[in-house]
Each structure stands twice: as C-alpha cells, then as structure tokens.
Amino acid sequence: MRNEIRFLLGDEERRISGVDPTMTVLNYLRREERLTGTKEGCAEGDCGACTVVLGALEGGALRYRAVNACIQFLPSLDGKQLLTVEHLKGKDGALHPVQRAMVEAHGSQCGFCTPGLVMSMLALQAEGDTLDRGRIDDALAGNLCRCTGYGPIIEAARKMGPLSSAEGGPLDRVDAASRLAALDTAETLALEASGTRYFAPTSLAELAALTSEHPDACLVAGATDVGLWVTKQHRRLDPVISVGAVAELKRLSVSDGMLEIGAGVTYEDALAAIAGRAPDLAELMRRIGSRQIRNAGTIGGNIANGSPIGDMPPALIALGATLVLRSGETVREIPLEEFFIAYGKQDRAPGEFLEAVLVPLTDAGQLRCHKVSKRFDQDITAVLGAFNIAVEDGVVKSARIAFGGMAATPKRATAAEAALTGKPWTEATVDAAREALAEDFQPISDMRASAGYRLAVARNLLTRHFIETTVPETATRLVGPGGLARSGEPAHA
Amino acid sequence: MPDSPATSGARIRGGVREPLPHDSGAKHVSGEALYIDDIPEPQGCLHVVAAMSKLAHGRIIRLDVSAVAAAPGVACVLTAGDIPGLNDVSPTGTNDDPCLADGVVHFLGQPLFAVAAESIEAARTAATLAEVEIEPLEPILTIENAMAKGSFVLDPHTMRRGEPEQAVAGAPRRLKGRIEIGGQDHFYLEGQVSLAIPGEDGDVLVHCSTQHPSEVQHNVAKVLGRPDNAVTVEVRRMGGGFGGKETQASQWAALAALAAIRTGRAAKMRLDRDDDMIMTGKRHDFIADYDVGFTEDGVIQGLNIEMAARCGFSADLSGAIVDRAMFHADNCYYLDNVEITAHRCRTNTVSNTAFRGFGGPQGMVVIERVIEAIARERGLDPLEVRRRNLYGGTGRNLTPYFMTVEDNVADQLIEELARDARYTERRAEIAAFNADNPVLKRGIALTPVKFGISFTTTFLNQAGALIHVYTDGSVHLNHGGTEMGQGLFIKVAQVVAEEFQIDLERIKISATNTAKVPNTSATAASSGSDMNGMAARAAARTIKRRLTDFAAEHFKVSAGEVAFEANRVRAGTHEMSFAELVKLAYLNRIQLSATGFYRTPKIHYDRQTASGRPFYYFAYGAAISEVAIDTLTGESKVLAVDILHDVGKSLNPVIDLGQVEGGFIQGMGWLTTEELWWDKQGRLATHAPSTYKIPACSDRPEAFTVRLWERGENTEETIHRSKAVGEPPLMLAISVAHAISDAVSSLSGGKLLADLDMPATPERILAAVEDMKAREAAR
C-alpha cells in the first residue's frame, strides 16, 4: 500500500506523508503552504469562503469542480489538482478574466468571501455554457456574501467570458491532465499519523477486506458530514476508511427501469442522470446543499449517515428504493425505509458498508417532492414531503408517501397512504389523509420549525400535491421550474 | 475655499465623484488582501481559546483549571483572578462587561477562562479539562420575563411632545396593537480576531479586526492595568463589521494581549464561527405596543409607543441604541401629540450591540406598522396613508424630540419612485393576479426612510487625520476611520486627491493605527466619510496652505496667484509639478506633515428634556418591494425591488450604490430568513450558517433597480455636499415586510391587518395567513 498523498498544488507536484490524515485542505493551505487567500468563514461548508477548485481526470478528461476546503480531508486531494485563488493570475501578474470581471463589476466590498466566489466562478466558467441567472444562482448558492447583496457578483459572472486556455501555468489543462495521469494513484492509500489511520482503497475487494479488518472504522465518502465531526465536534477519528477512490462505487447505470447509484456517486453526478427521468426529484436535488457540497457529497452518504433531515431518503423511499449492503463477500438487499431503525440507529452491521442504491424508475415521472425551509437555496429542510401517488380513473391506485423532518428518521406516512389507497382522488379523501398524518407523525419543535408548523405544512403539502395533479394550471411554487420567481421576466414587466 | 474641483482642462485621476472601484478590489480577488489571520504569525505564536459557561445564570462555586494548565502545549491559563487591571471591557464605563466571568455567570456561552496553547487544537482540547461547578440561578431570557421582573440594564426613557393621551382618546378613530421584532446576527464573513505582539516595557501591539481601535486600546490598557500609551491597536481592513466589531472586539483583544504579556509570546485569538455567534452580541430584538388616534382620513392625531428591547446581560451600547430606536419611531411622519417610551431589558443572554442602523430600523418598523394598521382600518392604500402623514407644511416639521426637519425630501422621492416604478398600475395587476390564484398571493409596498446622521452622543462627533507628503511628492494618508468593506478609504483618498489635485495613485492608503491618530470615534453611525473626509481635507489644506504661502514668497507672487491644477502647481508665471514644489519646499524647511481635525457643527441634544438637534442632517430614501407568498407553506419570495435613494452629491457613486444594494439585502435578510432561536435553557441554537440563514445569491430579486437620486444635494456643508450612506439603505427593506403583509392582507381584500411579527419566516407567514383566513371568515 502507498503511504503518500500525491497531488498537484497549482502546477507543483506534492507528495505528502506523515501528516494528520484528517487535517482539512483549508488548514493545509493556510498553515503548511502559507497560502492564505483561501479563508475560513464557518468551517462547516456553508459559507463558501474556503472554496477551492479540484481538477480531476474523469473518463480521461480534466474536469474542474468547486469544493469546500474547510471540510475536505487532505487525502481527498490524492490524484487531483488543487487550484486556489493564488493560482489564477497570469505569469505577467495580470488578473484572470474572472478576477477582472469581479473588480470591474465592484463585486467585492470587504473582500473576505471574494476568493471563494472567484473560485466558484472559475468552476462555473469551466462548464462553458451560456449563463442565465438560474445557473449563476446555482453555482454561487454556496458562497455567502454579507456586503454586496450579490448584484455586482451576478453581473461579474455574466461578464467573465469563457474560460481562457492558459498556456503553461496552473490553468493549463492539457499539462495538468498529463501530469495527473502520471501521478500513479492506482494503489490503495494507507496513512497513519497523529493517532489516525486512514485508508483509501481503490477497489471494492480492498474496501471489503479493510472494512472486515476494521469493522468499527469511520466510513467517509464526500466528508460533507464527517468533515464536521472534526471541524465542529473536534473528534479524533480512527480508523477512517474513505470510499471515494473505489471505482466500482462510482457506478451509475440504468437497466430494466432500475437506476443503480453506487455509494460513491456524488449528488452532482447523480443529478445529471436523474434530471431527465424524475424532474421534480432533480429540482429537489438542485436545492440540496450547494454546488460545492453536491460536488463532494454522495447520495450513499446521505443515506448511510441516517439523518432525519437528509433530503434524498424520503424521495427514494417514495420511489421504493432498495439498498445493497456488503460485508466481505456477503451481500444483502433491503428496502430503504427499513434501513432507518431509530434516531442515530441504522440497519448496518459492523464491517458492513453501503454498496449501492437501487431506484426503480417506474414512478419517477409522477414523483413530486416538496422541500420547505427558511431559505430556498442551501438550507436544511424543515419539512420534506415526497409523494408517489398513482391515480387511475379518479381512484388512488397506490400511494407511497414519505416525509423528512417529521420524525426521528425519514419515514413513510402509512396511515395517510391507507386513507388514500383505493379511495377517489377528491378533496374529501385528501382531508381524511390530512387527518391521518397526525397518526403518522408527532414532530418536534426546534430552531427550524415548531411541531405545529411541521404538521400543518405536511398536511398542506398533500393539499398542494392534490391541486398540482387536479388543477395543474394553478401556480403553486415560488421557485424551480414553473415557479413564479423564475419566469424569466421581471414580475412587473 | 470652494467645494468645486479645479476647472482648467486637465483632470486628475481619482478625484471626488469618480466611480472608482474599491481600492483593495484587485487584492480581494487575488487573495492578496491581508486580514488579521493572514498576517504571518511571529515565531512561537500562541492560540487562545475561551471556555464557555454551559448555564445561562449561576454562581461559580468552583473553577479548577489545574488540569487545563497541565495539558500538552498549554502556555498559560487565564481566569478572572489573573487580570492585572480591571476585569471589564464595557464601552461606556458601566463596568458590567467582565472579560472573564467572576463569581457569577450571566449568559450561556460567557467565557469562564481562557487557554493559550501552541495550537488552536491544543487550546481547545485543554479548555475541556477544567473542573467547573456552577450553582444554577433562575435565568431571565425574554423581554416579557424581564419586564415582569423589572430587570433592566438602564432606566427607561421617554420622549414626549403635546398631549398624546387626550389626543388619542379624542380622535375619531383609535387602534392598539403590538409587534415583535427579532434580532440579527452580523454574520461578518471574517469572525472576531486579534493578534497581540508583546513589546518592551510591557507594551503591546494588537492587530485587531475592529471598527473602534481607540476603544479596543482603552479596554486592553484597562484590563492590563497599563496606561493607554502602552497599547497600540492597528487594523488595515476587516472582513465585514456592520456594527459587530465596534464594542465586541475588545474582549478578544484583551485576552490575546493578556496572554502575550503573561508569556512574552505573540498570541492570537480568533473565534470560530460558532464561538463568535454564541459569545458576541447582536441586533436587539424588540417588542413594541402602540396606541394611535387618527382622523377618518388616516391622519395621526396622537400616538403612544412603548418599546422594550432585549439588551442581554450588560448595557454595552444599549442606551444609545434604544434611544436611536426612539429617534426613528417617527420615520418620515409628523406625529402630533406623541409619547415614545422605551425599556432596556436585562436578560441572561449575550449582550446585544450595535448593528447597522443601531436601533433605528426597529423604531422604523414600529411606525410603519402603525401606518399600515391605519390604512387597513380605513380601507386605504397604505401608500396614501403614508403620504398624508409625511412631514411638511406649516406646523408639521417638528420631531418628537423637538428638532425641526429642514431638509425633507421624502415626498419628492416617494412621488418620483411611485411614478417611475408604476406603483399604482402594479397594485392593480397584483390584485388581478391574486383574484386568479388561490395558492400564491402577491403583495406590494412602498416605504420611505429618513435616517438621522450624527452620533446622538454629541461628543463622539469628532475625527482626526494625519497626512505626510514625502519629498518625491507621494502622500501618506491616515485617519481614524476603519475599512470594513464600505469603501471609506477610497472615498477619503479621493477627497485628498481632489484637495492636492494629484492623481489618486500618488496617495498611499494606510492602516488605521492608534499611534498615528489618537482618541478616535468608532467607524459607525454612517459617519465615516463625513467626518474622516473632513478631517483629512483639513490636514491636506494645512499642508496646501503652507505650500501656497511658501510658493508665494519664493516666487514673489501673491497667494492668490498660486494654483494647484492636475498634478501641477502654478505660481504666477512659474509652473512646476506637485513633486517639484514639494521638493523645493522641503529644501526650504517647510513642514510637509499635518494633522487634521473635524467636529460636526450645529448639533446639540439634552437628554434630560429629550430635546435638541441630535442630527446634523437626515438621509432619505424610498423603496418599492413586490413579493409573492405561498399560502400553503408560508414561504415567500421577493420578486422585484425599486429603490430611489438620496446620497447627496456622491463622493463615489459606485461605492454608494454598493452600500444601498448591500444594505437593502441585509435588511431583507433581517426581516425574512434570519431567525435567532434560543432554547428554554438560553442556548442559542442558530449559531452557524447551517441554521442561521442570511440571504443567498438566489434571494436577490430578479428585478432590482437602484437609482441614486440625481437631484440630491446635502443642504448642510458636508464633505463635497455628500450624504452618509452606510446605514440608511438597510431600512429600505422594511418595504419587503410590508409587501409580505400586503400579500397576507389580500386574503381579506386588503381590509384586515396581518398579524405578522418579524422576521417573516415561512412559519410566521403561515400563521398570519391562517389567522387572516379565520378573521375574514368571522367578519
């Protein structure tokens, strides 16, 4: 096994060993490299001041993605190119077009969020398409600015132009691609320092062997949750097994109406596969975390961490998804809703790991997801309702309804389902199902919402679903496709 | 001297009124701009962490830090007993802001002790090892509880004019109501941070992210038990301030300085986001009751307002903040027969502090609610009721604190904005939309702003500057104002460039430093460019006068024949570059360095009688917001905003536009998504961006039109006739709150007032919708 992390910092190769494997990329940059352009604003991946861009070979081509350096562990850089705000200026000292656009549009005031914004914009620029407001918002949702009100930043994003092909230097993509290929990171990474053992196997077989050997290891994929255990709870993790380099877990395929999402597939990659098949689920996914979070975080992780307010589980439960769990050579398959036993308790044995999620696409088109939170973008859900209700000849043929934020786990609304199934799809039936939701859920009050609000909204989401399916011309959404605020026209034009 | 720039052909680069980008723009985008945490740490620099109380109120029975001191990497542990001077960082001498808890803990999160260690991780780990025993005392957490128990940090205060009781009782119409207004976390992207470097004689240099270096200096000296001259505080820039780094920076500076003095090593204290949000003060939350009498036409005849603010455990700046809420409880409206009373509640929560607007926004929210209540009761468009109550006309220009409003332009701004943004037509379009849409409802509102400019504590209205001209003609500029992103430094530099008639590039903008300009006031109250611009101009004029006198004597011409024109100086028939004259003056032993000073004229205020002229002038603006709400979930979305704002004759219009837009969005956040939530033990649960939601990019409305009012000009002799712009635009966002309540009111055809407290979160909006439906059904 290999005991050094290999990556490119700009255009300089780094080979690092003997450092704390849970050191964050941000601390590495600021403390070890003295590159202080990248800032710490929150240390939890919510403000974006720490945004850096990772270049990686995907199918042989170099692709840039923005991530939060504050919650990424240093070994996650293995085999990648790390670009920071310090790498953008030209050899002649001239500002990069993104930087120039920001200055010219007056996109900085206090300047503390600016390096992160510049890096998110660089990644957006690298996508190369024309930029409408929605795309800019999505790319920048994870970059909070407290000074400008975002207008000048949006203007800068519109004016920054296409990615220039730098010849030589850190932004030379041809050079970076060939050098990344030469890093030779096919061998499993095994690190140990500061009381943490860290493994990043590169094959499913090795992962299975390591989890059997270390049954109580902390499994980490995108680190968008586990990262906070270190930066917020100041926990010492040992041992850590990263699933991020396991090629088999990146599998994303459709066959016989079944979507298989490997446990290592990021939200952003899954989003591309889901967008055409389940538009409402795609809109939900667009609102999960931020671009930086979706570039790192995985659907597998969102399930395996068992959070009662993870957004994917209710939607996937409503679709009837199942999980593939592996322990050594043993594989079992269980319905997703049975995975969540109680708060903080999942049906995963020591040494077992999530290999894939199987999502039947039969009902993907009729799935409706409703996320309610204080802020539309990059906010944790107060209530999430996912409705998979089949109506034939005015009668509810089947109903799979799941909610997030309503119980200690993502949970099906079985009483409401029963109140609907076999009944005419009418207001009276919906009223009965609304009543039944009180049997299904006794939510709690916390800083996101009160118990009373949660139940009221859960009921109203069912009503919204009824209106959307029976009077589809009614405007029911403020954001997203068909939403009032994304009409493309100013509201009073 | 005239205010107008030189009129000859050539122009300097970077004079006043030029739309120059922020002076640090290129450094911001390249990551080269240095914030305190980016300064290379001196060798052996220690990192300081504070350990927090886990109880909101209690008596400290035992605090044993021996295990902390023995932990790996720990250099020293600081408790209240280790403070050589006074254990107090209060800003106004109230002596109620302990640096470290002593005997009693006053809020959950209060620092009990501090640890300085080799790394922040070592300090954090060590800080968990103390043995702490605190005997719980009953905490007072809410305004209602404090009012019931008579718990106050300061005495209540009243402003009164006329006979409000009689006027209210005798008025044709009368309404009473209540509104609750939430607080707000500053959420500056750069948290509180100080780096202290010990010197000789027990002196210390503190790099501190603060809006008030002089106060930090005083507090550090006080805690160390040293004279002020032993402490130097410097700040080049902050990563945002918004009022949160005025008084709240001192405690961390003092702890870092104490650790540095104790160990002889540099010490840094940087609060991480959670610590920062738990341990530092915020905007005050308020509860306000009103009792208003008015005519059938909706004209206010008498008004009683009683406000109560949650100040937290100590006074901090609550005296002046709550006063400013009272000063703005009139906003743009003439209040005939009025009494405004405000209570300063003491609670076992973090001590609340300055935040952009400094109480003014809360006061303004109250009066705008009164206006809307009247409008709903009379079945009038709220804009019409606003118009009818504006200042203006005979006998309608006196504020509740007996200041005559002399510069009122609110009516002009309102009419121009309403016309250009098609207020009336859009209201009709919205009514049509609402009639057709059962789920989503739109609303619209126009609200004006009148904001008083000056510190209401009159003596604070002073500023100093220091300018050196070097023999190559380059200029070093320093003043007491601090840069937090608002563009103060570039504006003041433009003033100096204009005065000397030299290009801006010749002027070095430098860090604020208490050793250069002493005894400064906070960069606050929107006063930064007004006061420091004037002080810098005074310093420049002193040097310019010396150069003029010298040139006149040297070239044997009259002083009137000496002219500074676009990097050149003419003395009769002689002409030379600015640098040549400077060099010549130096060789002739002319002093090329000067200080400048400014004190705001005309202002005076007697708090005993609540009368006087606390403000030099008023800044005005108006905004129209259009929103949509979802009546099933309570979600809301701002769809369109139109703003017309008066910045006088702008020193830098793009900087001012940035302040207007940014202030608006920040105010919008305060009134919509930003909710501070404490649990029943007094624990703040919203202490990170995961739970505390400031506006994100997509929250900026699709349609957003901002114009600086072209006709604007300060009637007072401010710096180049400009107006302050830092705070006033925040209050333009009150239009968002009223657009939301307008959308809720649409459920009653606009006849009933929405019972909507702030912030208007989805939960509060849904509650108001349900309440509105129930009342409409019962009507």
Side-chain angles (χ1 to χ4, degrees):
Chain A
M1 287 197 261
R2 182 162 53 95
N3 61 8
E4 65 177 15
I5 310 162
R6 298 170 192 164
F7 62 97
L8 297 178
L9 175 61
D11 56 2
E12 294 174 18
E13 189 170 319
R14 290 285 185 273
R15 289 172 180 253
I16 291 177
S17 56
V19 302
D20 179 356
T22 58
M23 174 188 282
T24 63
V25 171
L26 178 65
N27 283 342
Y28 165 75
L29 285 169
R30 293 185 59 85
R31 298 180 189 179
E32 308 295 320
E33 296 285 353
R34 283 277 321 138
L35 290 172
T36 56
T38 311
K39 311 298 184 194
E40 178 183 311
C42 69
E44 62 177 25
D46 270 289
C47 81
C50 68
T51 302
V52 295
V53 167
L54 292 184
L57 292 174
E58 296 179 17
L62 184 71
R63 182 162 170 186
Y64 288 149
R65 292 173 189 261
V67 298
N68 299 111
C70 71
I71 50 171
Q72 288 300 311
F73 298 142
L74 189 59
S76 70
L77 298 178
D78 196 47
K80 295 178 180 153
Q81 182 190 28
L82 171 60
L83 294 172
T84 73
V85 73
E86 285 92 348
H87 297 129
L88 266 57
K89 273 188 174 181
K91 283 179 191 155
D92 56 354
L95 294 178
H96 183 273
V98 171
Q99 295 172 315
R100 204 163 56 235
M102 278 289 273
V103 173
E104 287 171 0
H106 311 286
S108 73
Q109 286 184 23
C110 88
F112 201 81
C113 71
T114 312
L117 271 159
V118 165
M119 297 313 287
S120 283
M121 290 164 72
L122 180 80
L124 175 65
Q125 193 186 36
E127 290 176 15
D129 299 334
T130 44
L131 297 176
D132 62 13
R133 173 70 195 274
R135 288 193 49 150
I136 294 169
D137 285 347
D138 287 345
L140 304 184
N143 291 85
L144 298 179
C145 169
R146 191 55 152 165
C147 296
T148 64
Y150 301 101
I153 296 166
I154 295 164
E155 188 192 336
R158 284 185 165 134
K159 287 184 173 170
M160 65 189 175
L163 190 70
S164 55
S165 55
E167 286 179 30
L171 298 182
D172 185 329
R173 306 176 83 178
V174 177
D175 181 53
S178 63
R179 294 180 63 192
L180 285 177
L183 284 178
D184 188 18
T185 52
E187 194 183 351
T188 288
L189 193 59
L191 308 166
E192 183 169 0
S194 308
T196 294
R197 290 162 292 167
Y198 184 102
F199 306 95
T202 52
S203 71
L204 189 63
E206 280 177 291
L207 172 61
L210 281 163
T211 49
S212 298
E213 193 181 336
H214 306 282
D216 294 319
C218 170
L219 297 180
V220 58
T224 57
D225 190 23
V226 173
L228 277 66
W229 301 359
V230 172
T231 64
K232 293 275 156 164
Q233 299 168 10
H234 311 300
R235 277 160 66 178
R236 170 56 57 192
L237 307 176
D238 178 61
V240 177
I241 300 175
S242 165
V243 305
V246 179
E248 292 94 326
L249 296 189
K250 304 273 191 199
R251 196 161 49 228
L252 186 63
S253 64
V254 180
S255 65
D256 296 337
M258 184 72 81
L259 173 66
E260 181 182 350
I261 305 171
V265 173
T266 64
Y267 294 104
E268 202 62 28
D269 285 343
L271 183 52
I274 284 169
R277 300 183 168 94
D280 221 48
L281 177 56
E283 166 59 11
L284 170 68
M285 292 175 70
R286 182 192 69 76
R287 286 179 56 193
I288 293 177
S290 60
R291 177 64 55 77
Q292 293 94 314
I293 293 295
R294 293 192 301 270
N295 276 337
T298 61
I299 290 174
N302 195 231
I303 292 167
N305 76 0
S307 167
I309 43 179
D311 281 340
M312 290 307 289
L316 296 177
I317 288 171
L319 286 175
T322 55
L323 300 183
V324 180
L325 293 155
R326 175 181 287 271
S327 179
E329 293 298 305
T330 313
V331 175
R332 67 186 175 111
E333 200 175 311
I334 59 165
L336 174 55
E337 66 248 49
E338 290 176 15
F339 181 69
F340 305 105
I341 299 167
Y343 181 76
K345 190 165 189 279
Q346 296 86 42
D347 181 12
R348 183 170 71 84
E352 202 172 33
F353 63 90
L354 179 63
E355 186 177 331
V357 190
L358 302 176
V359 188
L361 292 171
T362 333
D363 301 334
Q366 73 185 24
L367 177 76
R368 296 274 182 154
C369 306
H370 307 261
K371 176 182 165 107
V372 178
S373 49
K374 282 183 197 167
R375 190 173 71 193
F376 287 109
D377 279 354
Q378 208 221 12
D379 195 0
I380 295 167
T381 293
V383 181
L384 189 148
F387 302 94
N388 176 7
I389 299 174
V391 179
E392 269 180 29
D393 301 326
V395 174
V396 178
K397 191 168 158 248
S398 67
R400 286 182 70 93
I401 301 172
F403 280 90
M406 293 293 291
T409 62
K411 191 168 164 279
R412 275 179 77 171
T414 46
E417 289 175 1
L420 293 171
T421 308
K423 306 285 181 348
W425 186 227
T426 61
E427 210 167 328
T429 303
V430 168
D431 283 345
R434 285 173 59 102
E435 287 304 309
L437 283 170
E439 293 170 45
D440 287 318
F441 300 110
Q442 292 79 44
I444 58 160
S445 293
D446 67 8
M447 65 281 187
R448 293 197 179 88
S450 69
Y453 175 77
R454 285 190 155 109
L455 186 58
V457 166
R459 288 171 162 165
N460 284 355
L461 291 181
L462 184 61
T463 299
R464 186 200 263 180
H465 182 67
F466 178 73
I467 293 170
E468 287 181 355
T469 51
T470 53
V471 199
E473 63 275 18
T474 310
T476 55
R477 308 235 188 161
L478 291 173
V479 300
L484 201 57
R486 284 264 175 97
S487 59
E489 293 293 318
H492 62 285
Chain B
M1 281 181 221
D3 274 314
S4 58
T7 49
S8 69
R11 291 275 298 156
I12 56 163
R13 286 190 304 274
V16 295
R17 319 226 192 283
E18 274 191 46
L20 298 176
H22 195 285
D23 53 280
S24 290
K27 289 180 277 189
H28 292 154
V29 299
S30 60
E32 291 161 19
L34 292 180
Y35 302 81
I36 308 287
D37 198 36
D38 304 334
I39 297 170
E41 290 168 6
Q43 197 178 6
C45 181
L46 298 169
H47 298 265
V48 184
V49 163
M52 296 190 259
S53 167
K54 294 185 169 70
L55 282 181
H57 195 199
R59 197 168 284 116
I60 301 172
I61 305 296
R62 199 163 72 93
L63 177 60
D64 182 350
V65 295
S66 48
V68 183
V74 170
C76 78
V77 183
L78 304 168
T79 62
D82 297 307
I83 291 172
L86 202 57
N87 182 13
D88 176 52
V89 288
S90 64
T92 59
T94 44
N95 199 11
D96 58 352
D97 263 316
C99 201
L100 294 167
D102 190 4
V104 178
V105 295
H106 297 290
F107 73 97
L108 199 158
Q110 184 175 4
L112 299 172
F113 63 92
V115 196
E118 304 289 342
S119 70
I120 198 155
E121 289 81 7
R124 272 194 195 119
T125 305
T128 63
L129 302 175
E131 291 182 36
V132 184
E133 197 181 325
I134 298 176
E135 177 197 332
L137 297 169
E138 194 189 336
I140 294 171
L141 299 173
T142 62
I143 290 173
E144 291 97 329
N145 203 348
M147 289 296 289
K149 293 195 170 154
S151 171
F152 302 110
V153 291
L154 294 163
D155 290 337
H157 185 55
T158 296
M159 292 173 181
R160 184 183 169 92
R161 210 195 63 241
E163 297 298 332
E165 296 82 4
Q166 286 164 260
V168 170
R173 314 295 306 182
R174 180 173 182 173
L175 278 174
K176 294 182 187 185
R178 163 174 282 208
I179 182 167
E180 298 188 18
I181 305 160
Q184 185 178 26
D185 190 89
H186 303 84
F187 210 88
Y188 27 64
L189 263 290
E190 176 210 36
Q192 304 277 352
V193 55
S194 279
L195 170 64
I197 301 167
E200 57 189 44
D201 298 331
D203 294 357
V204 64
L205 165 66
V206 185
H207 295 278
C208 176
S209 182
T210 179
Q211 296 168 242
H212 201 344
S214 283
E215 186 174 289
V216 171
Q217 176 197 21
H218 298 153
N219 273 314
V220 170
K222 188 165 72 178
V223 168
L224 295 179
R226 301 274 296 149
D228 289 347
N229 67 8
V231 179
T232 301
V233 175
E234 176 166 309
V235 54
R236 171 60 184 85
R237 64 172 63 78
M238 283 162 270
F242 316 114
K245 292 172 180 172
E246 185 174 345
T247 68
Q248 302 292 297
S250 287
Q251 196 168 1
W252 328 113
L255 288 171
L258 193 52
I261 294 298
R262 278 279 296 266
T263 60
R265 296 162 68 173
K268 183 193 286 187
M269 187 159 193
R270 178 177 70 82
L271 305 189
D272 72 12
R273 181 59 57 184
D274 305 81
D275 287 0
D276 188 297
M277 291 186 76
I278 291 167
M279 296 199 291
T280 70
K282 307 167 197 322
R283 187 188 293 286
H284 293 60
D285 43 325
F286 273 62
I287 295 179
D289 291 298
Y290 59 84
D291 184 0
V292 62
F294 49 98
T295 66
E296 305 285 351
D297 293 332
V299 177
I300 294 171
Q301 293 189 316
L303 175 63
N304 272 295
I305 291 176
E306 187 170 9
M307 300 190 273
R310 184 163 67 151
C311 300
F313 80 95
S314 71
D316 188 79
L317 298 174
S318 293
I321 289 166
V322 179
D323 278 1
R324 188 167 275 269
M326 300 168 71
F327 282 122
H328 289 81
D330 61 343
N331 195 14
C332 294
Y333 311 111
Y334 174 66
L335 304 177
D336 202 9
N337 300 300
V338 57
E339 181 169 300
I340 302 160
T341 298
H343 305 279
R344 282 95 170 137
C345 297
R346 184 183 190 285
T347 51
N348 292 110
T349 50
V350 68
S351 191
N352 282 330
T353 194
F355 193 142
R356 202 175 196 171
F358 204 73
Q362 294 95 316
M364 229 175 260
V365 164
V366 177
I367 188 65
E368 291 299 341
R369 172 58 64 90
V370 172
I371 293 280
E372 191 179 338
I374 294 170
R376 299 300 171 199
E377 202 272 345
R378 298 313 305 141
L380 293 166
D381 185 331
L383 177 57
E384 187 51 35
V385 177
R386 290 191 165 95
R387 284 177 173 132
R388 291 177 188 178
N389 283 284
L390 290 175
Y391 278 110
T394 317
R396 289 181 57 87
N397 275 323
L398 201 58
T399 67
Y401 45 94
F402 299 93
M403 175 174 169
T404 301
V405 179
E406 296 171 348
D407 56 6
N408 184 21
V409 294
D411 49 346
Q412 298 175 60
L413 290 170
I414 288 172
E415 296 317 321
E416 198 171 319
L417 180 66
R419 183 195 66 216
D420 293 353
R422 302 173 53 248
Y423 175 87
T424 308
E425 296 88 331
R426 284 164 65 193
R427 178 163 281 293
E429 290 159 16
I430 287 166
F433 174 91
N434 288 343
D436 289 345
N437 284 273
V439 177
L440 304 184
K441 299 288 179 185
R442 282 188 184 174
I444 190 169
L446 185 158
T447 58
V449 168
K450 164 182 132 287
F451 192 76
I453 302 302
S454 293
F455 288 97
T456 59
T457 304
T458 303
F459 76 82
L460 295 173
N461 295 287
Q462 55 176 309
L466 174 67
I467 292 178
H468 307 316
V469 180
Y470 295 104
T471 54
D472 65 352
S474 67
V475 173
H476 178 97
L477 168 62
N478 197 269
H479 52 80
T482 58
E483 177 65 42
M484 61 197 96
Q486 82 279 43
L488 171 66
F489 281 10
I490 185 85
K491 279 183 168 182
V492 176
Q494 286 177 266
V495 167
V496 172
E498 188 73 47
E499 201 58 36
F500 282 132
Q501 282 296 302
I502 56 173
D503 293 338
L504 191 76
E505 299 85 73
R506 301 293 289 161
I507 297 166
K508 171 64 77 179
I509 287 169
S510 62
T512 317
N513 187 309
T514 56
K516 283 188 182 171
V517 176
N519 310 327
T520 54
S521 292
T523 307
S526 305
S527 68
S529 19
D530 276 13
M531 298 210 308
N532 293 290
M534 280 297 211
R537 186 167 74 173
R541 283 185 174 177
T542 299
I543 295 171
K544 197 171 157 186
R545 190 173 59 242
R546 290 184 198 138
L547 289 171
T548 302
D549 291 348
F550 161 71
E553 189 187 329
H554 189 81
F555 295 110
K556 302 192 174 21
V557 297
S558 72
E561 292 172 273
V562 179
F564 289 73
E565 292 171 351
N567 299 306
R568 312 284 298 169
V569 181
R570 239 181 337 100
T573 56
H574 302 271
E575 197 187 322
M576 69 219 85
S577 71
F578 179 77
E580 285 164 347
L581 175 65
V582 164
K583 186 68 185 283
L584 197 59
Y586 167 74
L587 294 171
N588 285 278
R589 296 185 293 169
I590 301 298
Q591 190 188 1
L592 294 171
S593 172
T595 59
F597 187 75
Y598 177 72
R599 57 200 298 270
T600 310
K602 294 190 177 180
I603 50 176
H604 57 88
Y605 186 65
D606 178 5
R607 195 165 181 272
Q608 292 297 319
T609 57
S611 65
R613 177 179 179 166
F615 304 117
Y616 188 28
Y617 64 91
F618 294 101
Y620 296 86
I624 295 175
S625 289
E626 180 179 339
V627 307
I629 63 165
D630 183 333
T631 58
L632 290 174
T633 61
E635 295 160 290
S636 74
K637 181 88 190 161
V638 181
L639 302 173
V641 171
D642 295 271
I643 291 172
L644 185 58
H645 195 79
D646 176 23
V647 295
K649 289 197 167 303
S650 175
L651 290 174
N652 182 325
V654 293
I655 295 283
D656 284 354
L657 271 174
Q659 289 298 296
V660 176
E661 294 192 21
F664 180 91
I665 296 293
Q666 198 172 65
M668 181 185 87
W670 170 49
L671 295 169
T672 55
T673 56
E674 294 182 39
E675 184 177 34
L676 293 163
W677 196 89
W678 280 265
D679 70 11
K680 291 193 164 51
Q681 284 72 47
R683 180 182 295 104
L684 178 67
T686 47
H687 54 74
S690 50
T691 46
Y692 185 77
K693 311 312 285 188
I694 72 167
C697 191
S698 67
D699 293 312
R700 181 191 165 88
E702 289 267 4
F704 197 120
T705 309
V706 185
R707 278 192 300 136
L708 302 180
W709 196 42
E710 282 172 20
R711 284 187 281 155
E713 181 174 25
N714 203 325
T715 57
E716 299 295 342
E717 290 180 8
T718 53
I719 187 76
H720 294 282
R721 299 277 177 179
S722 63
K723 281 192 173 186
V725 69
E727 294 164 290
L730 181 131
M731 285 152 274
L732 296 169
I734 295 171
S735 58
V736 172
H738 285 274
I740 292 172
S741 80
D742 186 56
V744 177
S745 273
S746 74
L747 295 164
S748 65
K751 295 284 188 281
L752 298 176
L753 175 72
D755 184 9
L756 181 63
D757 291 327
M758 297 293 130
T761 57
E763 177 155 1
R764 287 203 182 83
I765 292 173
L766 185 64
V769 163
E770 293 302 327
D771 173 70
M772 180 68 63
K773 284 178 178 170
R775 281 193 287 148
E776 175 65 5
R779 200 154 67 100

